[in-house]
Amino acid sequence: MSNIDLLTKVFEAFSNSSEGRYVYLTDLKTGISRWSKNCVDRFGLPGEVMQNAGDIWEEHIHPIDREEYHGQIQAIMEGKSDEHNMTYRAKDKTGEYVACTCKGRVIRDDDGNPLYFAGTIENHGVASEYDHITNLFTRFKLLGHLRELKAQKKEYYILFIGLCNFTEINNVNGYEFGNKLLKLFGERLLEYVKSSGSFDVKEASVFHAGGTKFALVSTVFDSQKIKDIYEELSDFARHSITIDGTPISVNLAGSCAHVDNFEIDEHTVFSSGLMGLDESIYEKHGELIPFDSLGTDSHDKIVIINALRNCINNNFEGFYLCFQPIVSSVDDTLLGSEALVRWELEPYGNVPPNKFIAWLENDPLFYDLSLWIFRTAMRTWKEYVLKDNPSLILNINVSYIQIDKQCFRNDLLSILDEIDFPSGNLCLELTERCRFMDLEFLRNEIIFLKSHGIRVALDDFGTGFSAMELLINLPIDTIKIDRSFVLDIENKKEKQHVVKAILECARNLGVRSTVEGIETKSMRDVLREYGASTLQGYLYSKPVRIEDFVELKLDGLGRNND
Ligand code: C2E
Ligand code: MG
Ligand code: MG
């Protein structure tokens, strides 16, 4: 019997994999492994029989968990250990990380020689089909349902609903109260859908989409029905909820789509829906936002998001970084630059970041992209700039989605370590939406970053209503005043007063200031007079690739500005 036949026989003897449970068996003499088909399918592995499966699998494991995994497997291969038991995050075929518990054991012959390494992988993502708070199907089940509809080429309507003022409700009444609210709302949604007509559960199902979000998917409702449901529920949430005798008014946000494009994968639909919810919450006071072809060019948007996701999964295809100088306002000396991400791919052309960052922010893949940006920016800056100009600062934009992740701190520190990048040369720009985060949490994160020597700037300063509150309460190093404040400042008295006041306030608080969008010498002269610390804008250079950046005739890279 050949090695592979034997392996197959042994494998089949003990394999009893289910949807969320996989089995693997490795012949330690030949290094050949056999893995369950459902695992191969779910994670997009090269085949059920693999050579060096440990290395292939390692590629799927989250970078933070990888080292420990590698250590355990190496110990087994070197005969130093007989057992493997670890829970890690593994990336599936669609790019989403799922939690897996992997247990394995070395099987030895009578003489104690290692023969096989066999074990199971339990996929917890698959296991949790019901949410224990709302008793509704989970987000995972929702993704599976959308995947099925796509495979069957069935058109459907999807409605996402978010409870807006939930944090506040939780803070005032406690978590238990918040959980009861989620349960009650989920029940009402389900009840409402059930009472809308007689159909199979597959034709209209309700899901808990994570956090305070719900989703309804239907192959039988039309767009008017979806709007009616949303209005009815909004009315219910605002006026008719009572929990433990306490009446409570909840504001809803909503987004919806008619999905009839079967090229689009379920993750794109999900992310676009969450993005629509954000727009509904932050820009449209809870109005129902269509995120598909209903009217605008947003159908293209969903196609582009799909392409962006595929590119992130495909080794960040089409992504690159540009660098824009930041100079001293006193004498235009170069002090650093801001790294700005770009994405360009045919037939979509060059899609600007202020579009695609907002589109991707709700997608789990965005975090992978942000780590790529960190790594690429630091590596490039170290190689091209720091070598000869060790004092120049690199600014990198960070969105609230990144900071909000528990692993953010560790990831950032391990990238600094991996690249051996001096933390004093790094400044993180917190972009506008960070202001929606819990102030105390943000404050702690900034203190942590600063304790590691990293500088922190508040980007887009002045564009939000709470800018002054943030300036006063957060221990930031720099504010970056948005371009909109200085556009035409030479001719606009009101802008002059406002900018002058902001700059003075920052100075008195010991906070540095960068003014963006300096396009002309006369603008520069005004801001110089007002005492801005540093300036950035097309007057000095547009964002350019690093090869062009080092060629800029700016004082500070060893050349004089002329
Ligand atoms: P931002 O961080 O405020 O970046 C400044 C934006 O203003 C850049 O646009 C830059 O090209 C533009 N700009 C700079 N000087 C001038 C000027 O003199 N005139 C004009 N008209 N524009 C000027 P860009 O590169 O399109 O980026 C837009 C936004 O996208 C950024 O705003 C930032 O919020 C976001 N972004 C860009 N790269 C990243 C990134 O790597 N990560 C994250 N999270 N966000 C990013
Ligand atoms: Mg910025
Ligand atoms: Mg900015």
Side-chain angles (χ1 to χ4, degrees):
M1 196 182 276
S2 78
N3 273 326
I4 293 186
D5 288 344
L6 181 64
L7 188 71
T8 303
K9 284 257 174 307
V10 180
F11 182 84
E12 278 160 6
F14 82 106
S15 133
N16 63 338
S17 59
S18 59
E19 201 201 345
R21 193 163 173 278
Y22 321 122
V23 178
Y24 60 87
L25 177 69
T26 303
D27 181 338
L28 289 170
K29 288 212 185 78
T30 60
I32 297 173
S33 297
R34 171 78 199 272
W35 286 55
S36 305
K37 181 172 184 313
N38 52 358
C39 184
V40 171
D41 291 346
R42 177 71 198 269
F43 291 87
L45 301 174
E48 286 172 63
V49 176
M50 290 179 277
Q51 183 85 44
N52 296 330
D55 294 345
I56 296 170
W57 186 238
E58 190 172 319
E59 291 286 307
H60 289 257
I61 293 179
H62 194 284
I64 296 183
D65 305 329
R66 209 173 275 167
E67 197 179 336
E68 191 188 343
Y69 168 83
H70 186 83
Q72 284 201 17
I73 297 300
Q74 198 163 8
I76 283 172
M77 293 305 156
E78 289 170 4
K80 293 178 186 153
S81 159
D82 268 359
E83 269 203 43
H84 170 56
N85 186 351
M86 183 181 170
T87 298
Y88 46 61
R89 287 154 289 179
K91 199 196 269 188
D92 72 10
K93 193 164 67 180
T94 65
E96 175 158 274
Y97 282 106
V98 288
C100 293
T101 300
C102 180
K103 293 182 179 167
R105 176 164 258 295
V106 174
I107 301 166
R108 293 178 183 271
D109 66 15
D110 292 344
D111 298 320
N113 300 314
L115 288 179
Y116 297 110
F117 175 50
T120 56
I121 296 174
E122 190 104 34
N123 181 336
H124 303 294
V126 176
S128 51
E129 290 196 340
Y130 283 95
D131 170 57
H132 67 279
I133 296 174
T134 59
N135 291 325
L136 295 176
F137 287 136
T138 55
R139 169 172 161 263
F140 186 80
K141 188 81 177 161
L142 166 64
L143 290 169
H145 185 50
L146 300 185
R147 193 159 46 233
E148 227 173 84
L149 291 171
K150 173 180 185 274
Q152 296 166 354
K153 298 206 179 332
K154 271 203 178 139
E155 290 181 28
Y156 60 91
Y157 275 90
I158 183 164
L159 168 67
F160 285 93
I161 300 176
L163 312 188
C164 294
N165 45 337
F166 194 82
T167 314
E168 202 181 297
I169 294 171
N170 245 349
N171 288 346
V172 174
N173 303 284
Y175 280 93
E176 200 47 44
F177 188 96
N179 286 349
K180 283 184 185 167
L181 173 58
L182 286 175
K183 185 160 188 292
L184 183 91
F185 185 80
E187 279 166 0
R188 179 76 184 107
L189 174 60
L190 193 60
E191 221 172 81
Y192 188 77
V193 169
K194 275 188 183 157
S195 66
S196 298
S198 57
F199 32 73
D200 186 77
V201 65
K202 287 258 170 200
E203 291 173 327
S205 5
V206 170
F207 302 83
H208 177 239
T212 57
K213 302 177 190 85
F214 295 83
L216 159 67
V217 180
S218 175
T219 51
V220 288
F221 294 166
D222 60 13
S223 82
Q224 189 54 46
K225 179 77 190 164
I226 294 284
K227 281 182 200 151
D228 292 348
I229 293 177
Y230 183 64
E231 265 170 36
E232 168 91 5
L233 285 165
S234 297
D235 194 49
F236 163 76
R238 210 165 293 150
H239 305 295
S240 314
I241 299 184
T242 302
I243 290 167
D244 298 339
T246 308
I248 195 100
S249 177
V250 184
N251 297 325
L252 297 192
S255 65
C256 62
H258 173 212
V259 179
D260 56 356
N261 177 339
F262 305 113
E263 299 297 309
I264 301 294
D265 76 21
E266 65 281 7
H267 289 274
T268 301
V269 174
F270 190 79
S271 299
S272 308
L274 296 193
M275 202 171 69
L277 271 188
D278 266 8
E279 189 179 335
S280 171
I281 298 171
Y282 298 118
E283 291 165 36
K284 299 280 165 61
H285 303 286
E287 197 182 300
L288 184 61
I289 304 290
F291 62 89
D292 65 342
S293 57
L294 309 172
T296 64
D297 67 341
S298 50
H299 200 60
D300 293 334
K301 181 159 96 185
I302 208 167
V303 173
I304 295 174
I305 293 174
N306 201 47
L308 280 159
R309 298 187 83 262
N310 289 338
C311 282
I312 294 176
N313 276 329
N314 192 15
N315 207 12
F316 307 97
E317 186 188 359
F319 288 95
Y320 63 94
L321 295 181
C322 279
F323 295 80
Q324 188 181 31
I326 297 176
V327 306
S328 158
S329 84
V330 179
D331 55 6
D332 289 351
T333 321
L334 179 69
L335 297 179
S337 88
E338 175 176 4
L340 293 153
V341 68
R342 299 284 177 262
W343 182 69
E344 189 173 356
L345 192 79
E346 285 317 316
Y348 313 103
N350 201 321
V351 181
N354 48 10
K355 266 193 181 171
F356 74 75
I357 298 274
W359 293 352
L360 281 178
E361 264 179 346
N362 277 306
D363 196 298
L365 285 184
F366 178 70
Y367 192 69
D368 290 3
L369 175 66
S370 68
L371 295 186
W372 178 86
I373 293 171
F374 273 147
R375 233 182 229 111
T376 312
M378 288 189 220
R379 207 171 265 149
T380 308
W381 194 250
K382 190 173 168 195
E383 183 186 333
Y384 283 84
V385 177
L386 287 186
K387 233 176 355 149
D388 301 319
N389 303 273
S391 66
L392 296 186
I393 307 292
L394 168 67
N395 283 28
I396 303 181
N397 290 286
V398 175
S399 97
Y400 75 107
I401 287 288
Q402 292 169 257
I403 305 202
D404 217 15
K405 286 252 184 199
Q406 259 185 0
C407 47
F408 173 73
R409 290 179 174 199
N410 270 339
D411 287 348
L412 175 62
L413 295 185
S414 57
I415 291 173
L416 279 164
D417 197 45
E418 171 193 318
I419 294 169
D420 193 20
F421 192 91
S423 58
N425 286 73
L426 179 64
C427 175
L428 298 187
E429 295 189 8
L430 307 184
T431 55
E432 184 230 342
R433 296 253 292 284
C434 284
R435 79 168 66 100
F436 293 115
M437 296 177 81
D438 178 67
L439 201 61
E440 210 38 49
F441 174 80
L442 198 53
R443 205 181 135 74
N444 283 333
E445 293 306 300
I446 295 175
I447 291 171
F448 170 82
L449 293 169
K450 291 185 68 169
S451 73
H452 285 271
I454 299 164
R455 299 163 197 230
V456 180
L458 204 56
D459 206 353
D460 314 300
F461 189 84
T463 54
F465 46 85
S466 52
M468 278 298 163
E469 190 193 352
L470 297 184
L471 172 61
I472 292 164
N473 288 307
L474 295 177
I476 44 166
D477 299 279
T478 306
I479 53 169
K480 293 196 74 176
I481 298 177
D482 191 67
R483 198 163 69 78
S484 55
F485 277 90
V486 291
L487 202 68
D488 205 21
I489 194 168
E490 310 95 303
N491 306 313
K492 295 238 161 84
K493 275 262 170 299
E494 317 77 48
K495 286 194 175 180
Q496 293 174 7
H497 290 311
V498 174
V499 172
K500 207 171 169 181
I502 295 176
L503 289 174
E504 195 174 324
C505 183
R507 214 170 25 251
N508 290 336
L509 290 168
V511 173
R512 291 172 62 76
S513 51
T514 302
V515 181
E516 299 187 82
I518 304 293
E519 292 186 355
T520 61
K521 286 195 169 150
S522 54
M523 281 167 104
R524 172 194 63 189
D525 294 341
V526 173
L527 274 312
R528 182 178 277 174
E529 187 197 319
Y530 291 172
S533 320
T534 52
L535 304 174
Q536 180 180 354
Y538 292 175
L539 172 66
Y540 303 101
S541 166
K542 289 193 169 179
V544 290
R545 293 207 190 232
I546 195 71
E547 293 82 3
D548 299 323
F549 182 86
V550 293
E551 291 302 323
L552 288 174
K553 293 195 181 312
L554 291 165
D555 193 13
L557 278 174
R559 298 176 181 85
N560 285 320
N561 193 3
D562 47 27

